[in-house]
Amino acid sequence: MQLTTWLQLELGRTFRRAGHRTALVAAGLPLHLAVVPLWLWLAGAIAGAPAVIPLPVLLTLWVTPLLTVGQRRRYRALAGKDLPRPAAPGPGRNWRSAVRRLTTRALWRQVCYHAVAGPLLAVLDLAVLAVWAAGVVAASLYVWIWALPPQWRVTDLGYTTQAAYITAGGLALLFLGPRLTGALLRLDSRTAEVLLGPSRTEKLARRVADLAESRAGVLDAADAERRRIERDLHDGAQQRLVSLAVNLGLARSTLGDLPEDARRVIDEAHREAKEAIAELNDLVRGLHPAVLEDRGLDAALSGVAARLPIPVRVAVDLPRRPSPTVEAVAYFVVSEALTNVVKHAQATRADVTVERIGETLLVVVADDGAGGADLAAAVGGTGLAGLAKRVASVDGTFSCRSPAGGPTVVTVELPCAP
C-alpha cells in the first residue's frame, strides 16, 4: 500500500513538472518566432526593394525590448525564475540618450537572442511539442480505437497487433519527452542568461561593487565595535581601577598604625593599580580615542604629538570631517608612524600635515631621522606593512620615501565620499 502511494505521488510529481516545463516551452514558441516575419521582410527587401531595408531593422530594434520583457515574464510566471538584468543605459529622452541606447551591447545581445537564437530555439520547441503530441496520441491509440463504431473495429482484424506497437512507441515518446523538454529548457535558460542578462564585464563590475560595499560595512562595523569597547573600558574597568587606586591611597594615608609588611603590600598594590590605569589608558587610545570621536583629527593628533619625547608640528586643514572610518584610519596611521619615528628613526623632530584636496584626504608624516625604512622588507602585519594594509582596507594609497640618511616621508591618500 505504501509502495503504491509512493508511486502515485512520484508519478503525479513527474507529470506536474513535465506539464510546467511543457507550458514554458509552448509559451516561448510565439516569442521565439516573433522576429521571423521581420527578417523575412528584410530578406525580401534586400532582394527586391533596397529602400525598404531600414524599416524592418527599426521594427526589430523597437520590438526587441518588448520581447525581452515577455521572456522575463514567461520565466517568472512559469518557472519562478528572474533573469538577471543588464545595466541600464541611463535616463533621458533626447537624441543622445537614444543613440546611447542603440549603441549599448546589451541591446544588440538581445537582438542576437531574438533574431538568431530565437528561431533556432523555435525549431527545437516545435520538435519537443511534436514529440509530446505524437506520444500522447500514440499512447492513447486504444482509446481512439474503442471510440470508433464496432463495425469499423471488426472489419480490421489486424488492428490489435499494430495498435500494440504504436502504443509502445507512444509510451517510449512519453518517457523521452520530459528529458528532451528539460534539456531544451536548460539550453534556453542558459542562452537567455547570456544574451538577455548582464555581460561578464558587468557581472564582474557588480561583484566588485558588492564586495566593496560589504567590505565598507565590515569596516564600519569593526570601527563601531572598537568605539563600543573603548566606551565600556572607559566607563567600566577604568573607573573601577581609579576607584581602587584612590581607596588604596586613602588607606595608606589614614591607616598609620599598620604593620610594615601590610603597608608595603598596600604601597605595592597602589603602584600596580596606577600602572594598570596607565596601561588601560594606552589600550583605550589604541582602540579608538574618545577625543577623536568628540573633537576630530586635529585634537586627537595634537594629543598624540604632546605625548611624544620629540617636538612634532601638527597642521590639520579640514573644512569638514571625513567619515568615521576614514578618520580612524588617518589617526592610526599617524599614531603608528610617529611611534616608529620615536623607536627607530633617531629623529629630533617630525611634521604631520593633514589636508583635504577635493575628495581625497592627504596625510603626510615626515621626520629628520636616519632614514632607511623599507616597505618591501616589512612582513606580516607589523610596521609599515601593517600601515599599508590598513590604508588599503579603505581603497587608499600608501607610499614611503626613506633614503639612507633621511629624511623619511610617509604619504597616505584616503578617499573621502562627498
Side-chain angles (χ1 to χ4, degrees), residues 177-316:
R179 289 152 181 80
L180 293 177
T181 305
L184 175 58
L185 289 181
R186 286 192 294 272
L187 175 62
D188 190 0
S189 175
R190 179 58 180 166
T191 306
E193 289 177 358
V194 171
L195 296 179
L196 301 183
S199 64
R200 180 177 177 83
T201 302
E202 291 176 344
K203 290 180 180 179
L204 291 176
R206 290 182 182 181
R207 180 61 175 164
V208 170
D210 293 341
L211 291 176
E213 183 178 355
S214 63
R215 185 188 62 180
V218 170
L219 292 174
D220 292 340
D223 188 61
E225 184 66 14
R226 283 196 297 267
R227 291 197 297 269
R228 184 191 66 79
I229 294 174
E230 181 272 331
R231 288 193 301 268
D232 292 345
L233 291 176
H234 182 272
D235 298 336
Q238 191 175 34
Q239 296 302 323
R240 292 189 178 185
L241 283 175
V242 170
S243 177
L244 175 62
V246 170
N247 291 333
L248 289 174
L250 290 175
R252 184 182 61 179
S253 302
T254 57
L255 300 177
D257 56 348
L258 288 175
E260 186 63 26
D261 293 341
R263 183 176 296 277
R264 189 181 307 110
V265 171
I266 292 177
D267 290 342
E268 182 68 18
H270 185 251
R271 183 182 62 80
E272 290 184 357
K274 292 193 294 184
E275 290 178 356
I277 292 173
E279 292 179 0
L280 189 58
N281 284 332
D282 293 337
L283 176 61
V284 168
R285 283 194 295 267
L287 287 173
H288 192 93
V291 66
L292 176 63
E293 185 173 356
D294 297 337
R295 301 177 57 188
L297 271 174
D298 195 357
L301 296 181
S302 298
V304 172
R307 293 191 296 269
L308 296 179
I310 62 174
V312 178
R313 184 184 68 86
V314 178
V316 179

Side-chain angles (χ1 to χ4, degrees), residues 322-336:
S323 66
T325 302
V326 171
E327 199 173 53
V329 170
Y331 170 82
F332 287 116
V333 165
V334 174
S335 178
E336 183 66 21

Side-chain angles (χ1 to χ4, degrees), residues 36-402:
V36 172
L38 295 176
W39 283 107
L40 294 177
W41 184 11
L42 177 62
I46 293 175
V52 189
I53 290 177
L55 190 55
V57 174
L58 292 177
L59 286 176
T60 301
L61 294 177
W62 181 72
V63 300
T64 290
L66 301 178
L67 294 176
T68 301
V69 172
Q71 292 287 359
R72 296 186 188 280
R73 290 183 176 178
R74 174 173 75 104
Y75 274 96
R76 187 183 304 113
L78 298 178
K81 177 181 179 180
D82 287 325
L83 294 177
R85 297 177 180 272
R93 294 183 178 275
N94 53 20
W95 65 272
R96 292 182 179 178
S97 62
V99 171
R100 187 167 58 248
R101 290 188 179 91
L102 290 176
T103 55
T104 57
R105 294 183 178 179
L107 175 63
W108 290 101
R109 289 202 312 272
Q110 293 175 23
V111 171
C112 183
Y113 176 84
H114 297 297
V116 180
L120 298 178
L121 290 172
V123 174
L124 298 178
D125 292 340
L126 289 172
V128 169
L129 293 177
V131 168
W132 276 110
V136 170
V137 172
S140 59
L141 182 61
Y142 277 106
V143 177
W144 300 105
I145 290 177
W146 284 103
L148 296 174
Q151 63 272 17
W152 290 12
R153 297 199 302 268
V154 173
T155 57
D156 188 0
L157 298 178
Y159 80 90
T160 304
T161 303
Q162 296 174 2
Y165 289 131
I166 295 174
T167 302
L171 293 175
L173 290 178
L174 290 180
F175 177 80
L176 185 62
R179 289 152 181 80
L180 293 177
T181 305
L184 175 58
L185 289 181
R186 286 192 294 272
L187 175 62
D188 190 0
S189 175
R190 179 58 180 166
T191 306
E193 289 177 358
V194 171
L195 296 179
L196 301 183
S199 64
R200 180 177 177 83
T201 302
E202 291 176 344
K203 290 180 180 179
L204 291 176
R206 290 182 182 181
R207 180 61 175 164
V208 170
D210 293 341
L211 291 176
E213 183 178 355
S214 63
R215 185 188 62 180
V218 170
L219 292 174
D220 292 340
D223 188 61
E225 184 66 14
R226 283 196 297 267
R227 291 197 297 269
R228 184 191 66 79
I229 294 174
E230 181 272 331
R231 288 193 301 268
D232 292 345
L233 291 176
H234 182 272
D235 298 336
Q238 191 175 34
Q239 296 302 323
R240 292 189 178 185
L241 283 175
V242 170
S243 177
L244 175 62
V246 170
N247 291 333
L248 289 174
L250 290 175
R252 184 182 61 179
S253 302
T254 57
L255 300 177
D257 56 348
L258 288 175
E260 186 63 26
D261 293 341
R263 183 176 296 277
R264 189 181 307 110
V265 171
I266 292 177
D267 290 342
E268 182 68 18
H270 185 251
R271 183 182 62 80
E272 290 184 357
K274 292 193 294 184
E275 290 178 356
I277 292 173
E279 292 179 0
L280 189 58
N281 284 332
D282 293 337
L283 176 61
V284 168
R285 283 194 295 267
L287 287 173
H288 192 93
V291 66
L292 176 63
E293 185 173 356
D294 297 337
R295 301 177 57 188
L297 271 174
D298 195 357
L301 296 181
S302 298
V304 172
R307 293 191 296 269
L308 296 179
I310 62 174
V312 178
R313 184 184 68 86
V314 178
V316 179
D317 182 15
L318 295 177
R320 61 183 184 275
R321 294 181 63 174
S323 66
T325 302
V326 171
E327 199 173 53
V329 170
Y331 170 82
F332 287 116
V333 165
V334 174
S335 178
E336 183 66 21
L338 292 177
T339 301
N340 291 337
V341 168
V342 173
K343 290 182 178 180
H344 309 295
Q346 302 175 2
T348 59
R349 64 185 310 277
D351 294 294
V352 176
T353 304
V354 181
E355 59 181 333
R356 183 163 181 166
I357 303 176
E359 299 304 332
T360 301
L361 183 67
L362 179 63
V363 180
V364 179
V365 181
D367 66 79
D368 61 351
D374 186 6
L375 177 61
V379 296
T382 61
L384 295 176
L387 294 181
K389 289 181 179 180
R390 186 181 287 269
V391 171
S393 68
V394 292
D395 289 333
T397 59
F398 178 92
S399 64
C400 178
R401 182 171 56 85
S402 182

